[in-house]
Amino acid sequence: MANFENVVVETDLLILGGGMSACGAAVEAAYWAKQKGLKVTLVDKAAMDRSGAVAMGLSAINQYVGLKDGKNSIKDYVDYVRNDLMGVTREDLVANIARHVDSTVHLYEKWGLPIWKDEEGNYVHEGRWQLMINGESYKVIVAEAAKNALLQTGVGEIYERVFIVEPLMDGDRIAGAVGFSVRENKFYTFKAKAVMSLMGGAVHVFKPRSTGEGLGRAWYPPWNSGSSAYFTLKAGAEMTCQEVRFIPVRFKDAYGPVGAWFLLFKSRATNAMGGEYMVERRPELENWGPYGRVKPIPANLRNYLGMLDVMEGKGPIFMRTEEAIQKLAEQYKDDEKAYKKKMKELESEAWEDFLDMTISQAILWAASNVQPEERSSEIAAAEPYFIGSHSGASGAWVSGPEDLQTADTKNDYFWGYANMSTVKGLFCAGDASGASSHKFSSGSHAEGRIAAKAAIKFIVENNTMPNVDQAKLDELKATLLKPIDLYEQYKNATTDPEINPNYIKPKMFMFRLQKLMDEYAGGVSAQFTTNKACLERALELLAMLREDAEKLAASNLHELMRCWENTHRMWQAEAHVRTMLFREETRWPGYYFRSDKPKIDEEKWTVFANCKFDPNTGNWEMMTRPIHRIF
Ligand code: SFD
Ligand code: AMP
């Protein structure tokens, strides 16, 4: 077996991930751990300063309720999220985040994040819930506060560049996690009394639009590979909304955000014939129950209207940047100097929107001579992603807060500790927790804080170190390092290390996963459409892929990480396919369309579709859970 040093770490609370929710968790956990004399350990596969979805920065904070201004209420936010997700939402979770998110944003400001202000000193809103920021250093600022909280109080320690693979269990209680360093030959065992799985969502499960020279470019960050879903599934936790993928509409080829254009610049999107799908296709909305009539129109229905144009050959779709900028500057047209100044200001805002968060889009504009004030840019629906925090909903099924439960909900939505999964001591937040969409970066941070506080409470009330069987640990070490051993054993059997009858390299493995998902599970090539027969074929191919996962090979530590990233993606894929098969309707047509069940079925399917993998038997269980209205 490959020679890897064993590093064993014992801690009270183990935070897995270093993204927005983990940074929130670190700040909160440090505060409580100091008082209770507990130790907190945070582990990130990358460097916290620039890890996760916010690595490049962001140009807006998408969740700010603004309770102190009295303009919005918690109910308003819950209504917005419920409608956007076509009725499928856990109101207790959404409300819990909504009532705490403003304080997270105020902390950001205290830590130095520049939030735009108007002349009266009020936050500049992009839309009702969104605030504009100068956010190129957003992640650095939030990570610094988390690091200070853990390290300066003396309660915490941080491991960067350690890739977490597998949960450790003590019966039905979580006991820790194992992983390896991506820089040194070290195998890590973390033993803990409670664990927070905060490792983001998943990208590259489906074949991306960007292939060939563009491979690796995606909207969702390429380094979030489904580790949260894998971790919680393998621990035996119940998962929810696994059928809900998120497909954002983005500037084509470099995935620049559209929110600022639609909301702040009030831009229109038009098709090749100059028609406006949001206007011309309005009657289609009547087919989607009460959700077609709400404002704003749900994200997936907005997508769907545009997709109908493209499917009818009316593409490309253009974001009318030039028109929007001209319109905004129009009011100054009688004053040449003021007009020029306004145009300059709008032009720089347009570039900054991308430079703050999607630098590649600014590079593409520059490289293809686009001046947004002169010329429109193409937009397109991206490939599917798994993200519980934006307008998707996939993640673990977690307990809500006690005080928001009603007589109806308390047996279904509450089991002791806020944000604890159905596995004792395993907590989830951000992209890793499901059915609580539209939390974005700020809500994920707030949810990390909520979950950390509950995890500390769990530790105080269950203050014993779980047992970890040494034989199991030895077995896990051998499994994790097997790709290195396989490569060493067989590398000389061919002249080309990429092609070998005895093993499969992670990149080829990923291509195989992406092709089957693309073709059978409603990817880009299949126009986001699938049906029972396709999904059953996908499951057959996934079963064979799972067999071949045993043959993944790695020539170095980096490839070892790639092997496990792709195994994680494969599990996310299986949970997705099984749940799309289970939900016999089409509820989110702009995310996926089941051609054999083409309509929404409010009577039968206004429920959560949940699934669970049993690590002891290897069986999957599918179940429904009720949707309760609280607000
Ligand atoms: O508008 C392991 N999001 C936006 N939110 C906003 O508030 N405003 C915006 O402007 C946003 N835009 C946006 C957004 C996302 C993306 C991808 C883009 C643009 C391009 C959403 C937020 O970013 C998102 O809600 C939060 O970041 C979610 O937080 P969290 O904690 O669930 O995920 P993370 O921040 O990605 O962190 C994940 C961490 O896990 C680590 N990790 N560590 C160890 N072992 C493993 N196996 C691991 N796997 C992953 C990662 O390194 C990372 O630290 S807009 O365009 O939508
Ligand atoms: P995006 O850039 O698409 O991630 O959007 C940023 C924020 O604006 C998110 O909160 C979106 O839900 C919201 N948003 C984007 N486009 C629209 C739109 N056309 N109508 C309403 N909200 C939108």
Side-chain angles (χ1 to χ4, degrees):
M1 190 166 90
N3 192 13
F4 274 55
E5 184 191 331
N6 276 317
V7 182
V8 180
V9 177
E10 286 208 8
T11 190
D12 293 305
L13 176 62
L14 179 62
I15 300 177
L16 301 177
M20 295 313 279
S21 53
C23 287
V27 168
E28 191 75 22
Y31 176 81
W32 295 106
K34 177 106 183 139
Q35 299 192 18
K36 309 281 178 195
L38 300 173
K39 178 179 165 188
V40 182
T41 302
L42 184 147
V43 187
D44 191 350
K45 75 187 272 196
M48 277 172 84
D49 274 352
R50 290 281 177 193
S51 69
V54 184
M56 263 195 272
L58 295 176
S59 53
I61 284 173
N62 283 348
Q63 190 189 5
Y64 181 73
V65 179
L67 288 173
K68 75 176 167 51
D69 303 332
K71 288 193 192 127
N72 296 316
S73 66
I74 303 286
K75 180 182 181 319
D76 292 333
Y77 203 77
V78 173
D79 288 345
Y80 164 53
V81 178
R82 182 196 318 107
N83 287 333
D84 204 76
L85 268 293
M86 309 291 277
V88 178
T89 207
R90 275 276 302 273
E91 299 192 5
D92 58 334
L93 299 177
V94 175
N96 201 19
I97 298 167
R99 66 181 169 172
H100 291 293
V101 71
D102 291 356
S103 66
T104 267
V105 176
H106 301 149
L107 280 174
Y108 289 165
E109 202 172 18
K110 193 176 120 197
W111 296 330
L113 180 73
I115 305 180
W116 291 16
K117 297 262 176 66
D118 63 16
E119 277 129 30
E120 277 94 52
N122 300 315
Y123 292 145
V124 173
H125 278 254
E126 175 182 276
R128 182 172 178 187
W129 312 107
Q130 300 87 355
L131 303 181
M132 296 303 294
I133 57 173
N134 288 106
E136 72 281 356
S137 299
Y138 186 5
K139 186 63 205 300
V140 182
I141 291 166
V142 173
E144 184 185 36
K147 286 196 275 189
N148 286 346
L150 286 182
L151 303 180
Q152 287 180 2
T153 52
V155 300
E157 56 183 5
I158 296 172
Y159 291 83
E160 293 184 327
R161 300 195 172 89
V162 172
F163 184 82
I164 293 297
V165 178
E166 202 81 34
L168 289 175
M169 302 299 296
D170 178 5
D172 62 354
R173 180 175 171 183
I174 193 81
V178 289
F180 54 86
S181 162
V182 297
R183 291 289 163 94
E184 305 165 295
N185 282 6
K186 286 184 178 170
F187 174 78
Y188 279 90
T189 301
F190 296 97
K191 298 181 184 174
K193 294 173 188 163
V195 177
M196 303 187 72
S197 171
L198 310 174
M199 295 178 282
V203 61
H204 287 149
V205 173
F206 281 82
K207 189 169 130 209
R209 282 190 188 273
S210 297
T211 52
E213 64 163 357
L215 184 66
R217 196 180 284 164
W219 172 75
Y220 198 64
W223 39 84
N224 281 2
S225 56
S227 296
S228 299
Y230 178 85
F231 195 90
T232 38
L233 277 167
K234 288 296 289 288
E238 189 170 324
M239 306 293 283
T240 191
C241 299
Q242 292 296 306
E243 74 281 37
V244 188
R245 80 271 284 274
F246 176 44
I247 298 180
V249 162
R250 286 293 176 263
F251 280 77
K252 193 170 170 294
D253 296 330
Y255 301 89
V258 298
W261 282 100
F262 281 133
L263 302 181
L264 187 73
F265 294 113
K266 313 251 177 303
S267 177
R268 296 190 309 147
T270 54
N271 64 27
M273 287 80 191
E276 203 176 337
Y277 60 83
M278 291 303 294
V279 177
E280 292 174 353
R281 297 208 180 259
R282 194 158 276 272
E284 170 63 30
L285 296 174
E286 289 302 316
N287 297 327
W288 301 98
Y291 316 108
R293 281 172 233 126
V294 297
K295 255 183 120 181
I297 297 164
N300 78 89
L301 292 181
R302 298 199 301 267
N303 282 5
Y304 188 53
L305 300 189
M307 283 172 187
L308 288 172
D309 264 14
V310 174
M311 285 189 268
E312 247 179 43
K314 291 183 173 169
I317 307 286
F318 294 101
M319 182 73 86
R320 302 294 302 274
T321 57
E322 79 302 354
E323 181 189 87
I325 289 182
Q326 299 291 345
K327 249 197 194 148
L328 286 171
E330 212 165 47
Q331 51 181 307
Y332 301 90
K333 69 175 184 311
D334 298 331
D335 177 345
E336 197 188 337
K337 214 166 141 205
Y339 179 79
K340 267 195 182 154
K341 189 166 166 249
K342 187 67 189 169
M343 282 299 281
K344 201 90 220 126
E345 191 184 301
L346 291 166
E347 189 197 326
S348 80
E349 276 173 13
W351 284 89
E352 189 186 322
D353 184 43
F354 292 155
L355 287 169
D356 267 0
M357 64 189 292
T358 318
I359 299 160
S360 45
Q361 184 71 57
I363 294 171
L364 187 66
W365 264 2
S368 45
N369 299 329
V370 172
Q371 299 191 15
E373 67 281 18
E374 287 177 7
R375 198 173 144 190
S376 327
S377 288
E378 260 184 79
I379 56 170
E383 55 279 350
Y385 308 113
F386 298 92
I387 172 168
S389 69
H390 201 293
S391 316
S394 55
W397 181 245
V398 297
S399 172
E402 188 169 11
D403 67 315
L404 289 180
Q405 305 306 325
T406 64
D408 283 344
T409 66
K410 67 177 192 291
N411 291 329
D412 295 317
Y413 294 172
F414 178 70
W415 47 95
Y417 301 91
N419 281 78
M420 189 169 83
S421 70
T422 55
V423 168
K424 270 188 220 143
L426 175 58
F427 293 76
C428 305
D431 283 338
S433 73
S436 50
S437 319
H438 289 273
K439 48 194 156 183
F440 301 98
S441 61
S442 44
S444 295
H445 191 275
E447 199 187 19
R449 291 168 54 206
I450 293 165
K453 188 173 173 186
I456 296 279
K457 183 168 186 274
F458 174 89
I459 294 171
V460 170
E461 291 170 4
N462 299 270
N463 208 346
T464 51
M465 187 58 88
N467 291 317
V468 182
D469 180 22
Q470 188 55 45
K472 180 73 192 165
L473 270 178
D474 295 341
E475 186 192 315
L476 279 172
K477 184 178 179 187
T479 306
L480 258 64
L481 303 183
K482 189 174 165 197
I484 299 251
D485 293 336
L486 259 183
Y487 181 78
E488 283 306 312
Q489 191 179 351
Y490 293 114
K491 68 181 178 196
N492 294 325
T494 63
T495 49
D496 182 348
E498 295 302 310
I499 299 160
N500 195 307
N502 302 293
Y503 62 67
I504 180 166
K505 281 294 200 76
K507 199 168 193 176
M508 292 302 156
F509 183 90
M510 184 181 79
F511 287 152
R512 215 168 116 189
L513 171 68
Q514 291 179 346
K515 179 170 156 61
L516 83 89
M517 292 303 285
D518 182 56
E519 291 175 352
Y520 298 108
V524 169
S525 313
Q527 310 255 45
F528 310 112
T529 302
T530 187
N531 59 36
K532 183 168 185 275
C534 283
L535 292 167
E536 283 169 352
R537 179 70 183 135
L539 279 182
E540 246 181 285
L541 292 169
L542 277 168
M544 285 186 246
L545 192 66
R546 176 118 72 101
E547 279 177 28
D548 287 348
E550 302 288 323
K551 300 276 183 200
L552 276 162
S555 62
N556 54 41
L557 283 172
H558 186 69
E559 268 193 354
L560 184 62
M561 177 176 72
R562 291 280 181 261
C563 290
W564 284 106
E565 282 177 346
N566 285 313
T567 300
H568 291 180
R569 289 189 172 105
M570 177 180 71
W571 280 72
Q572 173 63 82
E574 185 163 348
H576 182 49
V577 171
R578 285 183 184 279
T579 319
M580 284 198 294
L581 195 54
F582 182 59
R583 181 180 279 282
E584 294 181 325
E585 66 162 355
T586 297
R587 181 162 289 252
W588 302 273
Y591 292 167
Y592 74 90
F593 197 87
R594 258 196 72 162
S595 57
D596 54 343
K597 301 279 175 192
K599 290 198 175 133
I600 192 165
D601 180 350
E602 282 278 86
E603 211 165 294
K604 183 161 176 229
W605 282 105
T606 308
V607 284
F608 295 105
N610 285 10
C611 69
K612 192 168 148 181
F613 174 78
D614 183 338
N616 299 315
T617 62
N619 293 331
W620 289 80
E621 192 189 337
M622 307 302 301
M623 59 281 240
T624 60
R625 300 286 180 211
I627 294 176
H628 298 293
R629 287 286 292 269
I630 301 176
F631 289 87

